Amino acid sequence: MKIFSGRSNIKLAKGICESLGIPLGDITIKDFSDGEIYVAFNENIRNEDVFIIQSTNPPSNNILEFLLMLDAAKRASAKKVVAVVPYFGYARQDRKDKPRVPISSRLILDLICAAGVDRIITMDLHSPQMQGFANIPFDHLYSRIALFDKLQEMNLNED
């Protein structure tokens, strides 16, 4: 298993890797002078389960950077590519609430799936119905479980 991070969640990815006792994967991500994004894996990921951590929140470059990372992993012959999306931007736009508007969350999920991912993991979606927009395994985690455990450890009700 190898874990890589886009530029939106490096601190989180490092924390996950530290917790698992594995190094964060080596990847180069940079911007060309015209604004195009360059992505290159600097290590062999052939036949590896690759987890790519990146949020789709603003700026919108995060989405394109994520898609490029997912595509590069697939083209580098990763065994499985798992999209880990700590914050899924556009999740609130999960239905057509008036004429002439997109269903943005569906579009973003379609793009992620088109990049060839095998699974999606995200947290605290605006609406769990989004899971039905994808035809691949989609894990929707809830942060409140971890938060409740931490609050209990803090003994806030004691005088």
Side-chain angles (χ1 to χ4, degrees), residues 73-112:
K74 205 65 171 171
R75 292 176 189 277
S77 300
K79 183 166 79 174
K80 287 187 181 175
V81 179
V82 180
V84 180
V85 189
Y87 176 78
F88 200 108
Y90 299 95
R92 290 181 299 228
Q93 298 175 43
D94 60 357
R95 66 189 178 287
K96 194 167 168 69
D97 59 352
K98 55 184 162 187
R100 299 174 300 282
V101 298
I103 302 174
S104 303
S105 61
R106 173 66 190 256
L107 175 60
I108 299 301
L109 272 172
D110 285 347
L111 291 168
I112 290 170

mmCIF file of all heavy atoms in Angstrom, residues 73-112:
data_model
loop_
_atom_site.group_PDB
_atom_site.id
_atom_site.type_symbol
_atom_site.label_atom_id
_atom_site.label_comp_id
_atom_site.label_asym_id
_atom_site.label_seq_id
_atom_site.Cartn_x
_atom_site.Cartn_y
_atom_site.Cartn_z
ATOM 1 N N ALA A 73 -1.819 7.555 -11.712
ATOM 2 C CA ALA A 73 -1.705 6.300 -10.949
ATOM 3 C C ALA A 73 -2.224 5.125 -11.764
ATOM 4 O O ALA A 73 -1.618 4.055 -11.807
ATOM 5 C CB ALA A 73 -2.459 6.412 -9.624
ATOM 6 N N LYS A 74 -3.337 5.324 -12.419
ATOM 7 C CA LYS A 74 -3.898 4.257 -13.255
ATOM 8 C C LYS A 74 -2.945 3.911 -14.396
ATOM 9 O O LYS A 74 -2.697 2.753 -14.686
ATOM 10 C CB LYS A 74 -5.269 4.711 -13.787
ATOM 11 C CG LYS A 74 -6.189 3.616 -14.137
ATOM 12 C CD LYS A 74 -6.562 2.832 -12.891
ATOM 13 C CE LYS A 74 -7.670 1.855 -13.188
ATOM 14 N NZ LYS A 74 -7.915 0.953 -12.084
ATOM 15 N N ARG A 75 -2.404 4.930 -15.034
ATOM 16 C CA ARG A 75 -1.493 4.718 -16.160
ATOM 17 C C ARG A 75 -0.142 4.138 -15.728
ATOM 18 O O ARG A 75 0.582 3.577 -16.535
ATOM 19 C CB ARG A 75 -1.280 6.022 -16.927
ATOM 20 C CG ARG A 75 -2.543 6.476 -17.641
ATOM 21 C CD ARG A 75 -2.351 7.820 -18.316
ATOM 22 N NE ARG A 75 -3.618 8.322 -18.808
ATOM 23 C CZ ARG A 75 -4.174 7.976 -19.968
ATOM 24 N NH1 ARG A 75 -3.587 7.111 -20.750
ATOM 25 N NH2 ARG A 75 -5.329 8.500 -20.335
ATOM 26 N N ALA A 76 0.169 4.266 -14.434
ATOM 27 C CA ALA A 76 1.412 3.692 -13.904
ATOM 28 C C ALA A 76 1.190 2.261 -13.422
ATOM 29 O O ALA A 76 2.025 1.701 -12.734
ATOM 30 C CB ALA A 76 1.948 4.561 -12.773
ATOM 31 N N SER A 77 0.033 1.695 -13.761
ATOM 32 C CA SER A 77 -0.301 0.295 -13.474
ATOM 33 C C SER A 77 -0.482 -0.016 -11.993
ATOM 34 O O SER A 77 -0.135 -1.109 -11.528
ATOM 35 C CB SER A 77 0.736 -0.652 -14.078
ATOM 36 O OG SER A 77 0.778 -0.484 -15.476
ATOM 37 N N ALA A 78 -1.034 0.931 -11.247
ATOM 38 C CA ALA A 78 -1.391 0.630 -9.863
ATOM 39 C C ALA A 78 -2.440 -0.480 -9.869
ATOM 40 O O ALA A 78 -3.287 -0.534 -10.760
ATOM 41 C CB ALA A 78 -1.945 1.872 -9.173
ATOM 42 N N LYS A 79 -2.358 -1.378 -8.891
ATOM 43 C CA LYS A 79 -3.332 -2.471 -8.812
ATOM 44 C C LYS A 79 -4.720 -1.911 -8.510
ATOM 45 O O LYS A 79 -5.693 -2.257 -9.165
ATOM 46 C CB LYS A 79 -2.919 -3.484 -7.744
ATOM 47 C CG LYS A 79 -3.859 -4.683 -7.656
ATOM 48 C CD LYS A 79 -3.246 -5.813 -6.848
ATOM 49 C CE LYS A 79 -3.381 -5.537 -5.372
ATOM 50 N NZ LYS A 79 -2.922 -6.662 -4.545
ATOM 51 N N LYS A 80 -4.797 -1.051 -7.509
ATOM 52 C CA LYS A 80 -6.043 -0.370 -7.164
ATOM 53 C C LYS A 80 -5.733 1.084 -6.872
ATOM 54 O O LYS A 80 -4.709 1.404 -6.276
ATOM 55 C CB LYS A 80 -6.694 -1.001 -5.927
ATOM 56 C CG LYS A 80 -7.311 -2.336 -6.180
ATOM 57 C CD LYS A 80 -8.075 -2.797 -4.955
ATOM 58 C CE LYS A 80 -8.660 -4.173 -5.236
ATOM 59 N NZ LYS A 80 -9.315 -4.723 -4.066
ATOM 60 N N VAL A 81 -6.647 1.946 -7.282
ATOM 61 C CA VAL A 81 -6.522 3.370 -6.995
ATOM 62 C C VAL A 81 -7.724 3.771 -6.155
ATOM 63 O O VAL A 81 -8.868 3.623 -6.589
ATOM 64 C CB VAL A 81 -6.452 4.220 -8.286
ATOM 65 C CG1 VAL A 81 -6.358 5.697 -7.943
ATOM 66 C CG2 VAL A 81 -5.289 3.788 -9.154
ATOM 67 N N VAL A 82 -7.441 4.254 -4.951
ATOM 68 C CA VAL A 82 -8.496 4.661 -4.028
ATOM 69 C C VAL A 82 -8.430 6.172 -3.859
ATOM 70 O O VAL A 82 -7.398 6.722 -3.463
ATOM 71 C CB VAL A 82 -8.351 3.958 -2.662
ATOM 72 C CG1 VAL A 82 -9.452 4.398 -1.710
ATOM 73 C CG2 VAL A 82 -8.363 2.443 -2.836
ATOM 74 N N ALA A 83 -9.532 6.842 -4.166
ATOM 75 C CA ALA A 83 -9.639 8.290 -4.009
ATOM 76 C C ALA A 83 -10.116 8.579 -2.588
ATOM 77 O O ALA A 83 -11.216 8.196 -2.209
ATOM 78 C CB ALA A 83 -10.629 8.857 -5.022
ATOM 79 N N VAL A 84 -9.272 9.244 -1.811
ATOM 80 C CA VAL A 84 -9.618 9.624 -0.439
ATOM 81 C C VAL A 84 -9.884 11.127 -0.456
ATOM 82 O O VAL A 84 -8.973 11.921 -0.691
ATOM 83 C CB VAL A 84 -8.493 9.271 0.551
ATOM 84 C CG1 VAL A 84 -8.880 9.668 1.967
ATOM 85 C CG2 VAL A 84 -8.161 7.776 0.471
ATOM 86 N N VAL A 85 -11.142 11.489 -0.220
ATOM 87 C CA VAL A 85 -11.565 12.885 -0.344
ATOM 88 C C VAL A 85 -12.011 13.384 1.032
ATOM 89 O O VAL A 85 -13.171 13.226 1.414
ATOM 90 C CB VAL A 85 -12.717 13.025 -1.367
ATOM 91 C CG1 VAL A 85 -12.999 14.493 -1.660
ATOM 92 C CG2 VAL A 85 -12.425 12.260 -2.646
ATOM 93 N N PRO A 86 -11.086 13.983 1.806
ATOM 94 C CA PRO A 86 -11.446 14.433 3.156
ATOM 95 C C PRO A 86 -12.587 15.457 3.156
ATOM 96 O O PRO A 86 -13.447 15.431 4.022
ATOM 97 C CB PRO A 86 -10.166 15.055 3.690
ATOM 98 C CG PRO A 86 -9.076 14.455 2.873
ATOM 99 C CD PRO A 86 -9.678 14.195 1.519
ATOM 100 N N TYR A 87 -12.556 16.359 2.202
ATOM 101 C CA TYR A 87 -13.645 17.333 2.061
ATOM 102 C C TYR A 87 -14.095 17.306 0.611
ATOM 103 O O TYR A 87 -13.321 17.622 -0.292
ATOM 104 C CB TYR A 87 -13.191 18.740 2.443
ATOM 105 C CG TYR A 87 -14.285 19.768 2.209
ATOM 106 C CD1 TYR A 87 -15.334 19.898 3.108
ATOM 107 C CD2 TYR A 87 -14.282 20.566 1.074
ATOM 108 C CE1 TYR A 87 -16.356 20.812 2.880
ATOM 109 C CE2 TYR A 87 -15.298 21.475 0.841
ATOM 110 C CZ TYR A 87 -16.330 21.601 1.746
ATOM 111 O OH TYR A 87 -17.338 22.490 1.517
ATOM 112 N N PHE A 88 -15.344 16.920 0.414
ATOM 113 C CA PHE A 88 -15.880 16.820 -0.940
ATOM 114 C C PHE A 88 -16.607 18.113 -1.278
ATOM 115 O O PHE A 88 -17.774 18.303 -0.936
ATOM 116 C CB PHE A 88 -16.839 15.636 -1.045
ATOM 117 C CG PHE A 88 -17.058 15.170 -2.453
ATOM 118 C CD1 PHE A 88 -16.517 13.977 -2.883
ATOM 119 C CD2 PHE A 88 -17.785 15.930 -3.358
ATOM 120 C CE1 PHE A 88 -16.689 13.541 -4.187
ATOM 121 C CE2 PHE A 88 -17.966 15.513 -4.659
ATOM 122 C CZ PHE A 88 -17.424 14.315 -5.072
ATOM 123 N N GLY A 89 -15.879 19.017 -1.941
ATOM 124 C CA GLY A 89 -16.504 20.253 -2.394
ATOM 125 C C GLY A 89 -17.569 19.968 -3.440
ATOM 126 O O GLY A 89 -17.502 18.957 -4.122
ATOM 127 N N TYR A 90 -18.537 20.804 -3.517
ATOM 128 C CA TYR A 90 -19.681 20.679 -4.429
ATOM 129 C C TYR A 90 -20.688 19.628 -3.970
ATOM 130 O O TYR A 90 -21.644 19.351 -4.677
ATOM 131 C CB TYR A 90 -19.242 20.394 -5.880
ATOM 132 C CG TYR A 90 -18.391 21.496 -6.447
ATOM 133 C CD1 TYR A 90 -17.006 21.418 -6.403
ATOM 134 C CD2 TYR A 90 -18.968 22.634 -6.996
ATOM 135 C CE1 TYR A 90 -16.215 22.445 -6.888
ATOM 136 C CE2 TYR A 90 -18.192 23.661 -7.494
ATOM 137 C CZ TYR A 90 -16.814 23.556 -7.432
ATOM 138 O OH TYR A 90 -16.048 24.578 -7.915
ATOM 139 N N ALA A 91 -20.494 19.055 -2.805
ATOM 140 C CA ALA A 91 -21.418 18.024 -2.303
ATOM 141 C C ALA A 91 -22.808 18.591 -2.029
ATOM 142 O O ALA A 91 -23.801 17.861 -2.090
ATOM 143 C CB ALA A 91 -20.860 17.376 -1.041
ATOM 144 N N ARG A 92 -22.899 19.871 -1.728
ATOM 145 C CA ARG A 92 -24.218 20.461 -1.454
ATOM 146 C C ARG A 92 -25.053 20.608 -2.711
ATOM 147 O O ARG A 92 -26.268 20.723 -2.649
ATOM 148 C CB ARG A 92 -24.060 21.827 -0.786
ATOM 149 C CG ARG A 92 -23.544 21.737 0.627
ATOM 150 C CD ARG A 92 -23.441 23.101 1.222
ATOM 151 N NE ARG A 92 -22.500 23.886 0.441
ATOM 152 C CZ ARG A 92 -21.518 24.598 0.944
ATOM 153 N NH1 ARG A 92 -21.355 24.671 2.234
ATOM 154 N NH2 ARG A 92 -20.697 25.278 0.180
ATOM 155 N N GLN A 93 -24.393 20.603 -3.858
ATOM 156 C CA GLN A 93 -25.113 20.744 -5.125
ATOM 157 C C GLN A 93 -25.439 19.350 -5.650
ATOM 158 O O GLN A 93 -24.947 18.922 -6.678
ATOM 159 C CB GLN A 93 -24.253 21.542 -6.107
ATOM 160 C CG GLN A 93 -23.960 22.951 -5.606
ATOM 161 C CD GLN A 93 -23.014 23.684 -6.523
ATOM 162 O OE1 GLN A 93 -23.143 23.621 -7.734
ATOM 163 N NE2 GLN A 93 -22.055 24.399 -5.946
ATOM 164 N N ASP A 94 -26.308 18.650 -4.902
ATOM 165 C CA ASP A 94 -26.591 17.241 -5.181
ATOM 166 C C ASP A 94 -27.950 17.008 -5.841
ATOM 167 O O ASP A 94 -28.403 15.875 -5.951
ATOM 168 C CB ASP A 94 -26.485 16.417 -3.900
ATOM 169 C CG ASP A 94 -27.450 16.873 -2.821
ATOM 170 O OD1 ASP A 94 -28.177 17.863 -3.026
ATOM 171 O OD2 ASP A 94 -27.466 16.231 -1.763
ATOM 172 N N ARG A 95 -28.609 18.071 -6.256
ATOM 173 C CA ARG A 95 -29.902 17.931 -6.934
ATOM 174 C C ARG A 95 -30.151 19.182 -7.771
ATOM 175 O O ARG A 95 -29.517 20.212 -7.581
ATOM 176 C CB ARG A 95 -31.020 17.726 -5.926
ATOM 177 C CG ARG A 95 -31.258 18.920 -5.040
ATOM 178 C CD ARG A 95 -32.225 18.596 -3.903
ATOM 179 N NE ARG A 95 -32.431 19.710 -3.033
ATOM 180 C CZ ARG A 95 -31.569 20.182 -2.145
ATOM 181 N NH1 ARG A 95 -30.379 19.648 -2.040
ATOM 182 N NH2 ARG A 95 -31.866 21.201 -1.379
ATOM 183 N N LYS A 96 -31.089 19.052 -8.658
ATOM 184 C CA LYS A 96 -31.473 20.176 -9.510
ATOM 185 C C LYS A 96 -32.616 20.889 -8.809
ATOM 186 O O LYS A 96 -33.763 20.465 -8.873
ATOM 187 C CB LYS A 96 -31.889 19.637 -10.881
ATOM 188 C CG LYS A 96 -31.985 20.664 -11.946
ATOM 189 C CD LYS A 96 -32.079 19.962 -13.302
ATOM 190 C CE LYS A 96 -32.467 20.903 -14.384
ATOM 191 N NZ LYS A 96 -31.477 21.885 -14.722
ATOM 192 N N ASP A 97 -32.295 21.960 -8.099
ATOM 193 C CA ASP A 97 -33.307 22.660 -7.306
ATOM 194 C C ASP A 97 -34.003 23.796 -8.043
ATOM 195 O O ASP A 97 -34.945 24.385 -7.535
ATOM 196 C CB ASP A 97 -32.713 23.159 -5.988
ATOM 197 C CG ASP A 97 -31.547 24.104 -6.186
ATOM 198 O OD1 ASP A 97 -31.091 24.268 -7.331
ATOM 199 O OD2 ASP A 97 -31.085 24.681 -5.185
ATOM 200 N N LYS A 98 -33.521 24.117 -9.239
ATOM 201 C CA LYS A 98 -34.186 25.096 -10.097
ATOM 202 C C LYS A 98 -33.716 24.866 -11.526
ATOM 203 O O LYS A 98 -32.735 24.161 -11.749
ATOM 204 C CB LYS A 98 -33.937 26.530 -9.620
ATOM 205 C CG LYS A 98 -32.500 26.922 -9.471
ATOM 206 C CD LYS A 98 -32.432 28.329 -8.888
ATOM 207 C CE LYS A 98 -31.053 28.570 -8.317
ATOM 208 N NZ LYS A 98 -30.971 29.829 -7.611
ATOM 209 N N PRO A 99 -34.393 25.454 -12.479
ATOM 210 C CA PRO A 99 -34.011 25.231 -13.886
ATOM 211 C C PRO A 99 -32.634 25.806 -14.208
ATOM 212 O O PRO A 99 -32.176 26.758 -13.585
ATOM 213 C CB PRO A 99 -35.087 25.977 -14.678
ATOM 214 C CG PRO A 99 -36.169 26.306 -13.734
ATOM 215 C CD PRO A 99 -35.594 26.279 -12.357
ATOM 216 N N ARG A 100 -31.989 25.193 -15.200
ATOM 217 C CA ARG A 100 -30.740 25.693 -15.769
ATOM 218 C C ARG A 100 -29.572 25.715 -14.782
ATOM 219 O O ARG A 100 -28.729 26.610 -14.820
ATOM 220 C CB ARG A 100 -30.954 27.069 -16.405
ATOM 221 C CG ARG A 100 -31.967 27.044 -17.563
ATOM 222 C CD ARG A 100 -32.300 28.415 -18.102
ATOM 223 N NE ARG A 100 -32.880 29.340 -17.143
ATOM 224 C CZ ARG A 100 -34.152 29.329 -16.743
ATOM 225 N NH1 ARG A 100 -34.999 28.438 -17.224
ATOM 226 N NH2 ARG A 100 -34.584 30.216 -15.872
ATOM 227 N N VAL A 101 -29.536 24.746 -13.875
ATOM 228 C CA VAL A 101 -28.394 24.611 -12.961
ATOM 229 C C VAL A 101 -27.839 23.185 -13.070
ATOM 230 O O VAL A 101 -28.572 22.251 -13.403
ATOM 231 C CB VAL A 101 -28.782 24.908 -11.489
ATOM 232 C CG1 VAL A 101 -29.262 26.333 -11.335
ATOM 233 C CG2 VAL A 101 -29.811 23.928 -10.970
ATOM 234 N N PRO A 102 -26.549 23.028 -12.812
ATOM 235 C CA PRO A 102 -25.963 21.682 -12.881
ATOM 236 C C PRO A 102 -26.210 20.903 -11.589
ATOM 237 O O PRO A 102 -26.567 21.479 -10.566
ATOM 238 C CB PRO A 102 -24.469 21.973 -13.032
ATOM 239 C CG PRO A 102 -24.279 23.246 -12.277
ATOM 240 C CD PRO A 102 -25.547 24.049 -12.526
ATOM 241 N N ILE A 103 -25.994 19.614 -11.661
ATOM 242 C CA ILE A 103 -25.903 18.788 -10.459
ATOM 243 C C ILE A 103 -24.402 18.579 -10.271
ATOM 244 O O ILE A 103 -23.820 17.587 -10.731
ATOM 245 C CB ILE A 103 -26.674 17.459 -10.602
ATOM 246 C CG1 ILE A 103 -28.149 17.753 -10.911
ATOM 247 C CG2 ILE A 103 -26.552 16.631 -9.323
ATOM 248 C CD1 ILE A 103 -28.965 16.511 -11.205
ATOM 249 N N SER A 104 -23.777 19.535 -9.629
ATOM 250 C CA SER A 104 -22.318 19.617 -9.569
ATOM 251 C C SER A 104 -21.683 18.415 -8.897
ATOM 252 O O SER A 104 -20.633 17.934 -9.335
ATOM 253 C CB SER A 104 -21.894 20.903 -8.859
ATOM 254 O OG SER A 104 -22.446 22.006 -9.529
ATOM 255 N N SER A 105 -22.274 17.924 -7.823
ATOM 256 C CA SER A 105 -21.682 16.777 -7.131
ATOM 257 C C SER A 105 -21.634 15.558 -8.052
ATOM 258 O O SER A 105 -20.667 14.795 -8.030
ATOM 259 C CB SER A 105 -22.438 16.459 -5.846
ATOM 260 O OG SER A 105 -23.782 16.128 -6.115
ATOM 261 N N ARG A 106 -22.648 15.380 -8.865
ATOM 262 C CA ARG A 106 -22.679 14.260 -9.817
ATOM 263 C C ARG A 106 -21.560 14.416 -10.855
ATOM 264 O O ARG A 106 -20.873 13.453 -11.187
ATOM 265 C CB ARG A 106 -24.054 14.182 -10.490
ATOM 266 C CG ARG A 106 -24.168 13.167 -11.607
ATOM 267 C CD ARG A 106 -24.015 11.751 -11.064
ATOM 268 N NE ARG A 106 -23.878 10.776 -12.101
ATOM 269 C CZ ARG A 106 -24.842 9.945 -12.484
ATOM 270 N NH1 ARG A 106 -26.016 9.974 -11.906
ATOM 271 N NH2 ARG A 106 -24.627 9.066 -13.437
ATOM 272 N N LEU A 107 -21.390 15.629 -11.351
ATOM 273 C CA LEU A 107 -20.347 15.879 -12.336
ATOM 274 C C LEU A 107 -18.968 15.571 -11.766
ATOM 275 O O LEU A 107 -18.151 14.902 -12.399
ATOM 276 C CB LEU A 107 -20.396 17.329 -12.832
ATOM 277 C CG LEU A 107 -19.275 17.736 -13.788
ATOM 278 C CD1 LEU A 107 -19.290 16.892 -15.047
ATOM 279 C CD2 LEU A 107 -19.377 19.209 -14.107
ATOM 280 N N ILE A 108 -18.682 16.040 -10.557
ATOM 281 C CA ILE A 108 -17.379 15.795 -9.934
ATOM 282 C C ILE A 108 -17.165 14.293 -9.736
ATOM 283 O O ILE A 108 -16.089 13.761 -10.038
ATOM 284 C CB ILE A 108 -17.242 16.552 -8.599
ATOM 285 C CG1 ILE A 108 -17.370 18.070 -8.808
ATOM 286 C CG2 ILE A 108 -15.930 16.205 -7.901
ATOM 287 C CD1 ILE A 108 -16.371 18.684 -9.742
ATOM 288 N N LEU A 109 -18.191 13.586 -9.287
ATOM 289 C CA LEU A 109 -18.074 12.133 -9.116
ATOM 290 C C LEU A 109 -17.868 11.432 -10.454
ATOM 291 O O LEU A 109 -17.075 10.493 -10.552
ATOM 292 C CB LEU A 109 -19.311 11.565 -8.423
ATOM 293 C CG LEU A 109 -19.259 11.564 -6.913
ATOM 294 C CD1 LEU A 109 -20.600 11.163 -6.322
ATOM 295 C CD2 LEU A 109 -18.161 10.667 -6.393
ATOM 296 N N ASP A 110 -18.564 11.874 -11.484
ATOM 297 C CA ASP A 110 -18.372 11.292 -12.818
ATOM 298 C C ASP A 110 -16.933 11.468 -13.287
ATOM 299 O O ASP A 110 -16.341 10.558 -13.874
ATOM 300 C CB ASP A 110 -19.327 11.918 -13.839
ATOM 301 C CG ASP A 110 -20.764 11.436 -13.708
ATOM 302 O OD1 ASP A 110 -21.009 10.441 -12.989
ATOM 303 O OD2 ASP A 110 -21.644 12.062 -14.327
ATOM 304 N N LEU A 111 -16.349 12.637 -13.024
ATOM 305 C CA LEU A 111 -14.966 12.899 -13.423
ATOM 306 C C LEU A 111 -13.995 11.990 -12.664
ATOM 307 O O LEU A 111 -13.065 11.431 -13.246
ATOM 308 C CB LEU A 111 -14.607 14.367 -13.193
ATOM 309 C CG LEU A 111 -15.295 15.369 -14.109
ATOM 310 C CD1 LEU A 111 -15.086 16.792 -13.598
ATOM 311 C CD2 LEU A 111 -14.788 15.225 -15.533
ATOM 312 N N ILE A 112 -14.227 11.838 -11.362
ATOM 313 C CA ILE A 112 -13.370 10.969 -10.549
ATOM 314 C C ILE A 112 -13.467 9.530 -11.042
ATOM 315 O O ILE A 112 -12.453 8.846 -11.198
ATOM 316 C CB ILE A 112 -13.743 11.090 -9.051
ATOM 317 C CG1 ILE A 112 -13.338 12.473 -8.520
ATOM 318 C CG2 ILE A 112 -13.098 9.979 -8.226
ATOM 319 C CD1 ILE A 112 -13.863 12.791 -7.125
#
